[in-house]
Amino acid sequence: DSGVTQTPKHLITATGQRVTLRCSPRSGDLSVYWYQQSLDQGLQFLIQYYNGEERAKGNILERFSAQQFPDLHSELNLSSLELGDSALYFCASSRTPRTEAFFGQGTRLTVV
Amino acid sequence: DAKTTQPNSMESNEEEPVHLPCNHSTISGTDYIHWYRQLPSQGPEYVIHGLTSNVNNRMASLAIAEDRKSSTLILHRATLRDAAVYYCILRANAGGTSYGKLTFGQGTILTVHP
């Protein structure tokens, strides 16, 4: 158990819908990272937060947004969902941007 | 982001040492070398990281070339549980838009034979 909690574990939704994925980092970790993993794309970095502020952005679509709240948990919002958004979404956290990151078990999103 | 190059796949026998290479010729002076692995159906798992000197922990050893343009992850005695995708990542350790960013490449698929 990495200490990073992601909910829900599985999510099935229809095209055009909006979903919210939640991540609770390890206690004391200030940095949160989001990744998308699909079969043909590998692990794609989406976005990074540190203590509530956005620090780095990867290939995150405009339909996707994220935030880190004062209690340090983070949410990834995916809207206008398409079939191609079906993937595993991982959250990770680290004490600081320098220290090792710990990953959650992921949320498997299926868009039908 | 500085890039890394790893072999697509490697094979090993159980209880033998495994040396996983990584080339990173464009590494900058402030980049740390991180290794993560991903077991089937799980999230990535931190293995080890280093800057210039060789590093050891309970999972593995990291050997870093003197010019820092390459590194090798060493699993001293492979077990079946070590079968995973191993990622070598350069992580910026200074301010800027890439500070702390963890960008995964394709990694090396390690197969361990009984």
Side-chain angles (χ1 to χ4, degrees):
Chain A
D1 180 10
S2 66
V4 178
T5 304
Q6 290 188 247
T7 55
K9 287 188 170 46
H10 301 277
L11 197 49
I12 301 175
T13 190
T15 54
Q17 295 298 304
R18 172 190 167 95
V19 297
T20 298
L21 312 184
R22 182 187 169 99
C23 172
S24 294
R26 290 189 323 151
S27 177
D29 283 1
L30 299 178
S31 285
V32 169
Y33 314 77
W34 285 98
Y35 291 84
Q36 179 192 56
Q37 186 171 37
S38 52
L39 279 174
D40 57 347
Q41 291 290 323
L43 267 163
Q44 297 292 310
F45 170 74
L46 295 178
I47 199 162
Q48 173 191 353
Y49 285 87
Y50 177 70
N51 204 19
E53 292 189 8
E54 182 183 304
R55 292 301 301 265
K57 229 171 184 176
N59 298 323
I60 187 166
L61 300 172
E62 283 191 14
R63 301 184 286 109
F64 296 1
S65 65
Q67 54 182 322
Q68 185 180 28
F69 294 88
D71 67 352
L72 301 176
H73 92 272
S74 179
E75 292 181 357
L76 178 67
N77 299 297
L78 315 175
S79 62
S80 303
L81 284 166
E82 302 174 359
L83 296 177
D85 298 326
S86 295
L88 262 172
Y89 291 83
F90 287 105
C91 168
S93 73
S94 63
R95 198 79 55 187
T96 74
R98 294 182 177 191
T99 55
E100 60 267 34
F102 295 85
F103 283 75
Q105 289 301 301
T107 292
R108 181 172 293 281
L109 174 67
T110 303
V111 182
V112 296
Chain B
D1 297 342
K3 287 196 65 168
T4 62
T5 304
Q6 300 177 251
N8 289 333
S9 63
M10 291 186 64
E11 296 186 18
S12 172
N13 294 317
E14 207 175 4
E15 298 192 7
E16 290 185 357
V18 181
H19 291 235
L20 296 162
C22 180
N23 288 319
H24 28 79
S25 58
T26 59
I27 190 170
S28 77
T30 56
D31 286 344
Y32 271 76
I33 302 158
H34 281 244
W35 284 82
Y36 284 76
R37 71 180 185 181
Q38 188 173 21
L39 279 65
S41 304
Q42 294 190 27
E45 174 186 33
Y46 167 78
V47 178
I48 201 167
H49 76 281
L51 183 63
T52 55
S53 305
N54 295 343
V55 185
N56 300 295
N57 67 19
R58 64 174 179 81
M59 288 181 70
S61 296
L62 176 60
I64 301 173
E66 203 169 323
D67 63 5
R68 300 208 329 125
K69 294 187 176 184
S70 66
S71 61
T72 302
L73 179 71
I74 302 165
L75 307 179
H76 295 286
R77 288 183 66 199
T79 69
L80 296 178
R81 197 195 169 276
D82 291 321
V85 181
Y86 286 79
Y87 299 95
C88 169
I89 302 166
L90 299 183
R91 194 172 193 197
N93 195 42
T97 57
S98 293
Y99 180 37
K101 194 172 167 183
L102 269 176
T103 304
F104 288 75
Q106 293 306 305
T108 297
I109 301 171
L110 175 65
T111 301
V112 180
H113 299 291

